[in-house]
Amino acid sequence: MKKPSWLRKEYLRDIVFNADTPIGHRIDIAIIIAISISLIIMFVETLQGLHPVVKLVLEVLEMLLTLVFTIEYAARLYSAERPHSYAFSLWGVIDLIAVLPPYLTIVLPGARYMLMLRSIRFLRIFRIFRLFSFIDEGHMLLRAIGRSFRKIAVYFLFVFVLVLCLATLMYMIESGEPDSAFTDIGTSIYWAVTTLSTVGYGDITPVTFGGRMLSAFIMLLGYTLIAVPGGIVTASFINETNAPVRDGRCPRCGSKVRKNDRFCSQCGEKL
Amino acid sequence: MKKPSWLRKEYLRDIVFNADTPIGHRIDIAIIIAISISLIIMFVETLQGLHPVVKLVLEVLEMLLTLVFTIEYAARLYSAERPHSYAFSLWGVIDLIAVLPPYLTIVLPGARYMLMLRSIRFLRIFRIFRLFSFIDEGHMLLRAIGRSFRKIAVYFLFVFVLVLCLATLMYMIESGEPDSAFTDIGTSIYWAVTTLSTVGYGDITPVTFGGRMLSAFIMLLGYTLIAVPGGIVTASFINETNAPVRDGRCPRCGSKVRKNDRFCSQCGEKL
Amino acid sequence: MKKPSWLRKEYLRDIVFNADTPIGHRIDIAIIIAISISLIIMFVETLQGLHPVVKLVLEVLEMLLTLVFTIEYAARLYSAERPHSYAFSLWGVIDLIAVLPPYLTIVLPGARYMLMLRSIRFLRIFRIFRLFSFIDEGHMLLRAIGRSFRKIAVYFLFVFVLVLCLATLMYMIESGEPDSAFTDIGTSIYWAVTTLSTVGYGDITPVTFGGRMLSAFIMLLGYTLIAVPGGIVTASFINETNAPVRDGRCPRCGSKVRKNDRFCSQCGEKL
Amino acid sequence: MKKPSWLRKEYLRDIVFNADTPIGHRIDIAIIIAISISLIIMFVETLQGLHPVVKLVLEVLEMLLTLVFTIEYAARLYSAERPHSYAFSLWGVIDLIAVLPPYLTIVLPGARYMLMLRSIRFLRIFRIFRLFSFIDEGHMLLRAIGRSFRKIAVYFLFVFVLVLCLATLMYMIESGEPDSAFTDIGTSIYWAVTTLSTVGYGDITPVTFGGRMLSAFIMLLGYTLIAVPGGIVTASFINETNAPVRDGRCPRCGSKVRKNDRFCSQCGEKL
């Protein structure tokens, strides 16, 4: 007996994995809308004092969406060229986590597992990153960040060491005070990050004269430090933007381009 | 019988719509001053513990200004080439909202409508944007932002997705605590935006060890993220500023300009 | 009878007004050190719980410094080419305010004037700006800011209008709540500036859902806005720094310079 | 009798001072791991409510690590070309402080010295800077910052003077209020730095109308000021990055390089 066409692996694969075919594109948009709705439901369910009827409607809606996601997961698993590698890939695991909790509530009854399962359910938020498969613009942004990656990493290491030193000094100064908010170095590190990043919640603040002077120094430092990643990324951006004009080379593949070329003749990059 | 000259549509139109004629320019300035005064009155009226005499003076002044704005609105409606399209344009609606409330208090008496009408009155704040009709400098600013618009939009989408993920993770970690400030995901999103933007009110703060470590991570992330729109806008600005010198082309229309030209010969853009 | 040399106006003028002569330079440094000491005394005197002996020592020291400043003020007034224009210049008024209060306490006895005179005394802080007469480096900084001045002014006008609109909207949303911190539009403006500048004290925070969503929007806006003056100043800086290399002209006077010149041949600007 | 090879000064010096030899490199990594572990132990010990057994294990571990650091210190002192200059160098003093406290507790018993010694112990945090001996990337970062150093110093002097003036003005305005948080000018300076750097803890906030308006002004100023060091560092960075391409010279030694050179032929700098 011949399989119906929509059951053939190649056909399914086109639909669920390939957003370039017309039907695949439409299915992709439908899935993203379904994900968005399921996230909104998840968010609304955390509100306190919901009417029981609203709660019921949300739960039914969620069950339907879970069914849709289950079918999608099954289709992906069935049609994948290497089902094994999909199942254990990051996306495969996130897709599985997104559908599993409701079924587990049936298999593992009782309030004990309930809470943990509800908590795991929140991880489906990561499915929202699918959204980025639609955007071309992100490319240049990521490339500029990618180019600066090592410099930014070194910079972060420097900030991290600075945070450790400042947190330890503040603990030395402030922990002697009665009712000090600096109870341990972990708290002190949290405070140092809050201050250096100029967030400044104010839940932990210095009260001694020495502590306040050190804080003022840290803030002025943070003020200058905040400029450094900006300088790195901006320098990278300007190089990125100006490169084709200045040295007549494609910013992607490095091959020569002429002044009036609008696309690289070797790799098709838009100039 | 012949209409007096100030009643002819063409003449009125020159006065109320066209700021280029000498009289239109003077009327325009007078209207902006009147708007500013009416806004100051509106602000002062919200102060608590005003003397009854001051209150009365302010109300009389406001009534007079409302009369002026009514005449202006009528003149605009009467002299507009297409009165219909002016009445339903954004500016038309704002102008109407600015004059309507006092008249409605006569038509709809009683305290019930009073509060709503007083509230609507505040929307006249948007008339202040008229101010920008006077400034030439804003052009380059808006063009630089406009050029970067798509990149900034993609960036904001990225920040928004990040905010959703972080808010959900923090809700997972913190909501279990007794007396947690993270009561629902809406609150958690508000907290995540407050933190990523480095505002940090401190009305909602993490109390668990895990929550504090995640917060510290978010802050360092926000620290780097803050550099990205800066990089985008700056790159755009520098291109904007350097373009004529570097590639000998007008930044507005793209036609060739010579090195010593001070204005583009095709579109008149100042170089 | 012949005047002694140090009483001749020309000689005195060289000392108190001209920091270029060796003796004038030394006197200038001495005066700045005296100002710094008088400021430190002023700051220490505001501390609560000072020992009476310390208080006495500080008061005696201050009296001596006041004497020094009085002599300096008299010398300036006596030797100035146009004493009248010095006395009514900004610096002349500040110098006068810095020495007057102690003498007024003798003329106007009684506790009534005491407090006001002590308060006026604080205005001598502005004498610290004398410090900048020593620094050459500030030039380029001020020029870069000066070049961007108009653009930054327009930008501030835009931010100001935005602040007014946001403050009014938040007042509309939040003032209806019982115990709302948004008591009047003045407070609301203060809150809007605190939020847009990402300072975020947390003394005034939104409590309604609508208010929080609007706040989150304002913060993301402030996040982008913060990039704009950075873009303006950086673009100006880079032009400032690159200009001599790129277009072979002096950044100060605009005359042509050759590639290996280290100073402009026309105005002596360091390249 | 001949000394065993590992006791010869030259051999030891290679191990403890020179990270370029294979064995020196391995020893260096081992020492950094040991430092990291000792820091983690130090941090964990500040936590309250630790189990006595955990405390004991940590103390034993710390004693072992102190032994390792003592041997390292002795080896460095013994093998240094000029032991005297090492002992009194910054690194020598930090290394000594890191090992001394446990021995001093034996020499100076009693609870009186205990607290001071525990406090001194925290200074070993500075040994973490050893980490930077591993990173090549930091070079360019430091050079860009170094180039901008004088400009940033002038800028900081300007910010400092501004902070003093604003702090004094706020003290004048706010200190008259009952229960004002602005108790003295030291506190006022702390507040001014907190605000200008956009940290904004909220532990000290203005309550008068005048104070709030001045605060709003300070914040908008801080908003613009935050752009200046960004502009300085970015301009330096872009010059740093673009220099070899633009003027065909090595950014390190200044000698001429050809367009396709990947390293400077004079100093080996990567281009």
Side-chain angles (χ1 to χ4, degrees):
Chain A
M1 198 179 110
K2 232 183 119 205
K3 277 184 187 174
S5 73
W6 57 267
L7 261 181
R8 266 180 302 158
K9 284 191 180 185
E10 293 75 23
Y11 186 73
L12 260 178
R13 199 180 297 148
D14 259 20
I15 294 173
V16 293
F17 282 110
N18 198 342
D20 290 343
T21 57
I23 188 162
H25 189 65
R26 251 172 283 156
I27 292 275
D28 229 35
I29 288 173
I31 291 281
I32 280 176
I33 291 169
I35 289 173
S36 304
I37 293 170
S38 84
L39 291 178
I40 290 167
I41 290 171
M42 196 171 84
F43 289 173
V44 171
E45 278 184 332
T46 67
L47 288 171
Q48 283 157 347
L50 278 182
H51 195 279
V53 174
V54 176
K55 254 188 167 159
L56 194 75
V57 170
L58 290 175
E59 264 168 45
V60 169
L61 261 173
E62 209 191 334
M63 236 170 273
L64 287 175
L65 285 170
T66 304
L67 208 72
V68 170
F69 295 146
T70 310
I71 292 166
E72 191 213 350
Y73 183 70
R76 277 175 187 264
L77 206 60
Y78 172 73
S79 70
E81 276 184 85
R82 267 161 292 149
H84 215 260
S85 72
Y86 166 69
F88 291 98
S89 73
L90 187 63
W91 286 119
V93 171
I94 287 172
D95 286 353
L96 183 62
I97 285 171
V99 298
L100 216 55
Y103 299 108
L104 286 175
T105 7
I106 302 163
V107 182
L108 304 163
R112 291 203 309 153
Y113 300 103
M114 198 64 199
L115 213 75
M116 199 197 65
L117 289 175
R118 287 202 79 76
S119 200
I120 282 175
R121 214 176 46 119
F122 285 119
L123 291 174
R124 75 169 60 152
I125 186 77
F126 291 110
R127 297 194 83 203
I128 210 180
F129 280 105
R130 283 265 190 91
L131 208 64
F132 287 101
S133 57
F134 281 96
I135 300 159
D136 302 323
E137 221 74 18
H139 245 179
M140 192 175 157
L141 214 73
L142 287 175
R143 212 164 49 210
I145 293 172
R147 275 198 193 185
S148 325
F149 186 75
R150 267 203 71 145
K151 273 181 226 151
I152 288 178
V154 170
Y155 167 77
F156 261 107
L157 186 67
F158 179 71
V159 168
F160 182 68
V161 167
L162 204 71
V163 159
L164 286 186
C165 292
L166 293 171
T168 309
L169 283 176
M170 280 302 278
Y171 180 78
M172 277 172 71
I173 295 171
E174 288 275 331
S175 67
E177 289 294 297
D179 298 320
S180 170
F182 293 80
T183 51
D184 51 70
I185 288 196
T187 309
S188 202
I189 289 171
Y190 166 69
W191 170 86
V193 172
T194 309
T195 301
L196 257 182
S197 64
T198 79
V199 170
Y201 283 137
D203 50 350
I204 301 165
T205 51
V207 290
T208 63
F209 182 77
R212 285 187 168 176
M213 287 304 110
L214 184 60
S215 295
F217 173 73
I218 292 174
M219 286 168 204
L220 289 180
L221 204 71
Y223 210 63
T224 313
L225 283 177
I226 217 170
V228 174
I232 297 170
V233 175
T234 305
S236 180
F237 243 90
I238 290 168
N239 282 354
E240 188 79 20
T241 325
N242 292 351
V245 175
R246 198 160 47 218
D247 56 17
R249 276 179 188 285
C250 168
R252 185 149 82 185
C253 67
S255 59
K256 279 200 178 171
V257 290
R258 268 153 309 173
K259 217 181 167 176
N260 297 324
D261 288 358
R262 303 200 52 200
F263 295 91
C264 172
S265 57
Q266 301 305 311
C267 70
E269 174 80 358
K270 201 176 175 199
L271 301 175
Chain B
M1 200 179 108
K2 229 182 122 205
K3 276 185 187 174
S5 74
W6 57 266
L7 261 180
R8 266 182 301 157
K9 284 191 180 184
E10 293 75 23
Y11 186 72
L12 260 178
R13 200 181 295 148
D14 259 20
I15 295 173
V16 292
F17 281 109
N18 197 342
D20 290 343
T21 58
I23 187 163
H25 190 64
R26 251 172 283 155
I27 292 275
D28 228 34
I29 288 174
I31 290 281
I32 280 176
I33 291 170
I35 289 172
S36 303
I37 293 171
S38 83
L39 291 179
I40 290 167
I41 290 171
M42 195 171 85
F43 289 172
V44 171
E45 279 183 330
T46 67
L47 288 170
Q48 283 156 347
L50 279 182
H51 195 279
V53 174
V54 176
K55 254 188 168 158
L56 194 74
V57 170
L58 290 176
E59 263 169 44
V60 169
L61 261 173
E62 210 191 334
M63 238 170 273
L64 286 176
L65 285 170
T66 304
L67 208 72
V68 171
F69 295 147
T70 310
I71 293 166
E72 192 214 349
Y73 183 70
R76 277 177 187 263
L77 207 59
Y78 172 72
S79 71
E81 276 184 85
R82 267 163 289 149
H84 214 260
S85 73
Y86 166 69
F88 291 97
S89 74
L90 188 62
W91 286 119
V93 171
I94 287 173
D95 286 352
L96 184 63
I97 284 171
V99 298
L100 217 55
Y103 299 107
L104 286 175
T105 5
I106 302 164
V107 184
L108 304 163
R112 292 202 311 153
Y113 299 102
M114 198 64 199
L115 214 76
M116 200 197 65
L117 289 175
R118 287 201 79 75
S119 200
I120 282 175
R121 214 174 47 118
F122 285 119
L123 291 174
R124 76 169 59 151
I125 185 77
F126 291 111
R127 298 194 83 202
I128 210 179
F129 279 106
R130 282 264 189 92
L131 208 65
F132 286 102
S133 56
F134 283 96
I135 300 159
D136 301 324
E137 220 74 20
H139 245 180
M140 192 175 157
L141 214 74
L142 287 175
R143 212 164 48 211
I145 293 172
R147 275 200 192 183
S148 324
F149 186 75
R150 265 203 71 142
K151 273 181 226 151
I152 288 178
V154 169
Y155 168 76
F156 261 109
L157 185 69
F158 179 71
V159 168
F160 182 67
V161 167
L162 204 71
V163 160
L164 286 187
C165 291
L166 293 171
T168 310
L169 283 176
M170 280 302 278
Y171 180 78
M172 278 171 71
I173 294 171
E174 288 275 331
S175 67
E177 290 294 297
D179 298 320
S180 170
F182 294 80
T183 51
D184 51 69
I185 288 197
T187 309
S188 203
I189 289 172
Y190 166 70
W191 171 85
V193 172
T194 310
T195 301
L196 257 182
S197 64
T198 78
V199 170
Y201 283 136
D203 51 350
I204 301 164
T205 50
V207 291
T208 63
F209 182 77
R212 285 187 167 175
M213 287 304 110
L214 184 59
S215 296
F217 172 74
I218 292 174
M219 285 167 205
L220 289 180
L221 203 70
Y223 211 64
T224 313
L225 283 177
I226 218 170
V228 175
I232 296 170
V233 175
T234 305
S236 181
F237 243 91
I238 290 167
N239 281 354
E240 189 79 19
T241 325
N242 290 353
V245 175
R246 199 159 46 218
D247 55 18
R249 278 179 186 283
C250 168
R252 186 149 81 185
C253 67
S255 60
K256 278 200 176 173
V257 290
R258 268 154 308 173
K259 218 183 168 174
N260 297 325
D261 288 358
R262 304 200 51 199
F263 295 91
C264 172
S265 56
Q266 301 304 312
C267 69
E269 174 81 357
K270 201 175 174 201
L271 299 174
Chain C
M1 197 181 109
K2 229 184 120 204
K3 276 184 186 174
S5 73
W6 57 266
L7 261 181
R8 266 181 303 159
K9 284 192 180 185
E10 293 74 23
Y11 187 73
L12 259 177
R13 199 181 295 150
D14 258 20
I15 295 173
V16 292
F17 281 111
N18 197 340
D20 289 344
T21 58
I23 187 163
H25 189 67
R26 252 173 284 156
I27 292 275
D28 229 35
I29 289 174
I31 291 281
I32 280 175
I33 290 169
I35 290 172
S36 304
I37 293 170
S38 84
L39 290 178
I40 290 167
I41 290 171
M42 195 172 85
F43 289 171
V44 171
E45 279 184 329
T46 67
L47 287 171
Q48 283 157 346
L50 278 182
H51 196 278
V53 174
V54 176
K55 255 188 167 158
L56 195 75
V57 171
L58 290 176
E59 264 168 45
V60 169
L61 261 173
E62 209 190 335
M63 238 169 274
L64 287 176
L65 285 170
T66 303
L67 209 71
V68 171
F69 295 146
T70 310
I71 292 166
E72 191 213 351
Y73 182 70
R76 277 176 187 262
L77 207 58
Y78 172 73
S79 70
E81 276 183 85
R82 268 162 289 147
H84 214 260
S85 73
Y86 165 69
F88 292 98
S89 73
L90 187 64
W91 285 119
V93 171
I94 287 172
D95 286 352
L96 184 64
I97 285 171
V99 298
L100 216 56
Y103 299 107
L104 286 176
T105 4
I106 302 164
V107 183
L108 305 162
R112 291 203 310 154
Y113 300 102
M114 197 65 199
L115 214 75
M116 200 198 65
L117 289 174
R118 287 202 78 75
S119 200
I120 282 175
R121 216 175 46 119
F122 284 120
L123 291 173
R124 75 170 58 151
I125 185 78
F126 291 110
R127 297 194 83 202
I128 210 179
F129 279 105
R130 282 265 189 90
L131 208 64
F132 287 101
S133 57
F134 282 97
I135 299 159
D136 302 323
E137 221 73 19
H139 244 179
M140 191 173 157
L141 214 73
L142 286 176
R143 211 164 49 212
I145 292 172
R147 275 199 191 184
S148 325
F149 187 75
R150 266 204 69 144
K151 272 181 227 151
I152 288 178
V154 170
Y155 167 76
F156 261 108
L157 186 69
F158 179 71
V159 168
F160 182 68
V161 167
L162 204 71
V163 160
L164 287 187
C165 292
L166 293 171
T168 310
L169 283 176
M170 279 303 278
Y171 180 76
M172 279 172 70
I173 294 171
E174 288 276 330
S175 68
E177 290 294 297
D179 298 320
S180 170
F182 294 80
T183 51
D184 50 70
I185 288 196
T187 309
S188 203
I189 289 172
Y190 166 69
W191 171 85
V193 172
T194 310
T195 302
L196 257 183
S197 64
T198 78
V199 170
Y201 283 137
D203 50 350
I204 301 164
T205 50
V207 290
T208 63
F209 182 77
R212 285 187 167 176
M213 288 304 110
L214 184 60
S215 296
F217 173 74
I218 292 174
M219 286 167 205
L220 289 180
L221 204 70
Y223 210 64
T224 313
L225 282 177
I226 218 169
V228 174
I232 296 170
V233 175
T234 305
S236 179
F237 243 90
I238 290 168
N239 282 354
E240 189 79 19
T241 324
N242 291 353
V245 175
R246 199 160 44 217
D247 55 18
R249 279 180 186 282
C250 169
R252 185 149 81 185
C253 67
S255 59
K256 278 201 177 172
V257 290
R258 270 154 306 175
K259 216 182 168 175
N260 296 325
D261 288 358
R262 303 199 53 198
F263 295 92
C264 173
S265 57
Q266 302 304 312
C267 69
E269 173 80 358
K270 202 177 173 199
L271 301 174
Chain D
M1 195 181 110
K2 229 184 119 206
K3 276 185 186 174
S5 74
W6 57 267
L7 261 181
R8 266 180 303 156
K9 284 191 181 186
E10 293 74 24
Y11 186 73
L12 258 178
R13 199 181 298 148
D14 259 20
I15 294 174
V16 292
F17 282 109
N18 198 340
D20 289 343
T21 58
I23 188 163
H25 190 66
R26 250 172 287 156
I27 293 274
D28 229 35
I29 288 173
I31 291 281
I32 280 176
I33 290 169
I35 290 172
S36 304
I37 293 170
S38 83
L39 291 178
I40 290 167
I41 290 171
M42 195 171 85
F43 289 171
V44 171
E45 278 184 331
T46 67
L47 287 171
Q48 284 158 346
L50 279 182
H51 195 277
V53 174
V54 177
K55 254 186 168 160
L56 194 75
V57 170
L58 290 176
E59 265 168 45
V60 169
L61 261 173
E62 208 190 336
M63 236 170 274
L64 287 176
L65 285 170
T66 303
L67 209 72
V68 171
F69 295 146
T70 310
I71 293 166
E72 192 214 349
Y73 182 71
R76 277 175 188 263
L77 207 59
Y78 172 74
S79 69
E81 275 184 86
R82 268 162 291 147
H84 215 259
S85 73
Y86 166 69
F88 292 97
S89 73
L90 187 63
W91 285 120
V93 172
I94 287 173
D95 286 353
L96 184 63
I97 284 171
V99 298
L100 217 56
Y103 299 109
L104 286 175
T105 6
I106 302 164
V107 183
L108 305 162
R112 290 203 310 152
Y113 300 102
M114 198 63 199
L115 212 74
M116 200 198 65
L117 289 174
R118 287 201 78 75
S119 201
I120 282 175
R121 215 174 46 117
F122 285 120
L123 292 174
R124 76 170 57 153
I125 185 77
F126 291 110
R127 298 194 82 202
I128 210 179
F129 279 105
R130 283 264 190 91
L131 207 65
F132 287 101
S133 57
F134 281 97
I135 299 159
D136 301 324
E137 221 74 18
H139 245 180
M140 191 175 158
L141 214 73
L142 287 175
R143 212 165 48 211
I145 292 172
R147 276 199 192 184
S148 325
F149 186 74
R150 267 205 68 146
K151 273 180 227 152
I152 287 178
V154 170
Y155 167 76
F156 261 108
L157 186 68
F158 179 71
V159 167
F160 182 67
V161 167
L162 204 72
V163 160
L164 286 187
C165 292
L166 293 172
T168 310
L169 283 176
M170 279 303 277
Y171 180 77
M172 278 172 72
I173 295 172
E174 288 274 331
S175 67
E177 290 294 298
D179 298 320
S180 169
F182 293 79
T183 51
D184 51 70
I185 288 197
T187 309
S188 203
I189 289 171
Y190 166 69
W191 171 85
V193 172
T194 310
T195 301
L196 257 183
S197 64
T198 78
V199 170
Y201 283 137
D203 50 350
I204 300 163
T205 50
V207 290
T208 64
F209 182 77
R212 286 188 166 174
M213 288 304 110
L214 184 60
S215 296
F217 172 74
I218 292 174
M219 286 167 204
L220 289 179
L221 204 70
Y223 210 63
T224 313
L225 283 176
I226 218 169
V228 174
I232 297 169
V233 175
T234 305
S236 180
F237 242 91
I238 290 168
N239 282 354
E240 188 79 20
T241 325
N242 291 352
V245 175
R246 198 158 46 216
D247 55 18
R249 277 179 188 284
C250 168
R252 185 149 83 186
C253 67
S255 59
K256 279 200 176 170
V257 289
R258 270 154 308 177
K259 217 183 168 175
N260 297 323
D261 287 359
R262 304 202 51 199
F263 295 92
C264 172
S265 57
Q266 301 305 311
C267 70
E269 172 81 358
K270 201 175 175 200
L271 301 174

